[in-house]
Amino acid sequence: VCSRRVNVLACVTMGASVVRALRNFNVESRAHREIGRAKPKLAPRHPSSVSQKNPKVQEEIYRKNDHLLSLLKGVYVESVDTPGEVNNQSNSDKQVEGRLPKVTFKHGLWGVLDPSNIPKGKLSVVEVLSALSNHKNSPATWTAEKIAEEYSLELKDTKALLEFFIPFEVKLLALKKVEPTSPR
């Protein structure tokens, strides 16, 4: 088995050197032949509506228009913002009012998987599941109003969450038993 592997390896190496030799054979003359070939003709350009060779058009293009130049000199832009004000505005826009998570999920090696700051009006997945579990276990105490107040949510969003977000519903579908057919 070992001798076969050595022969195969030698053939592969020898084949690679043959391919390399054929690829590099007469490279310089092939390059000169390719460079010396006639270049393909360019497609004809579409004739423009205004002739470029018309001296009146050329003169109009390169002539200074004093009226337009005086109007351009009259334009003056004045900036009133200082760099400090611009930075303060951008920082205040980026800071969103948030809160710490009410419930966290601790997992073995990775520690806490929940975000450290949750924007107002939003919930983490663990908080959603916790709120829905509380509401399912005791709907009299955990009403939509109490959940909205507890997690800083709007009442309409909380009612929609309780009505449409149903992670606990499990539907089992009956599987049809297929009788095996005998091969013919």
Side-chain angles (χ1 to χ4, degrees):
V1 177
C2 222
S3 62
R4 283 186 180 173
R5 286 185 186 167
V6 172
N7 287 340
V8 170
L9 184 60
C11 288
V12 169
T13 309
M14 193 170 167
S17 63
V18 169
V19 169
R20 191 179 314 111
L22 289 175
R23 186 179 58 218
N24 294 336
F25 176 73
N26 206 8
V27 171
E28 192 172 338
S29 68
R30 286 187 289 151
H32 283 294
R33 188 177 341 129
E34 190 65 34
I35 291 171
R37 278 191 187 164
K39 305 294 184 269
K41 290 180 77 175
L42 295 176
R45 291 190 162 270
H46 190 285
S48 63
S49 59
V50 179
S51 174
Q52 293 288 333
K53 297 179 182 177
N54 188 347
K56 290 182 181 179
V57 172
Q58 291 293 329
E59 180 184 325
E60 187 67 28
I61 289 173
Y62 292 109
R63 183 177 55 88
K64 281 187 179 179
N65 191 333
D66 292 330
H67 175 67
L68 292 177
L69 194 59
S70 66
L71 289 176
L72 183 62
K73 287 181 182 178
V75 174
Y76 180 72
V77 177
E78 186 176 309
S79 178
V80 292
D81 290 340
T82 60
E85 292 175 6
V86 173
N87 289 339
N88 291 340
Q89 282 181 343
S90 63
N91 288 341
S92 64
D93 291 343
K94 290 179 184 176
Q95 291 176 348
V96 178
E97 189 176 327
R99 61 176 178 77
L100 295 175
K102 304 276 184 192
V103 183
T104 58
F105 175 71
K106 295 188 190 290
H107 188 275
L109 300 173
W110 302 297
V112 178
L113 296 176
D114 284 337
S116 59
N117 187 15
I118 300 172
K120 188 175 183 180
K122 306 280 185 185
L123 291 175
S124 70
V125 174
V126 177
E127 288 178 336
V128 169
L129 295 175
S130 173
L132 290 173
S133 173
N134 291 340
H135 178 72
K136 185 176 183 180
N137 292 335
S138 57
T141 57
W142 285 92
T143 61
E145 291 80 15
K146 183 174 180 182
I147 293 173
E149 181 184 328
E150 183 77 19
Y151 292 103
S152 304
L153 299 172
E154 291 186 20
L155 186 59
K156 67 178 181 80
D157 294 338
T158 307
K159 287 181 179 178
L161 175 75
L162 294 175
E163 183 179 349
F164 298 113
F165 193 87
I166 308 170
F168 300 111
E169 188 174 320
V170 178
K171 294 182 181 180
L172 298 175
L173 302 174
L175 296 175
K176 294 180 181 177
K177 290 188 178 181
V178 178
E179 295 180 20
T181 58
S182 60
R184 293 182 187 179

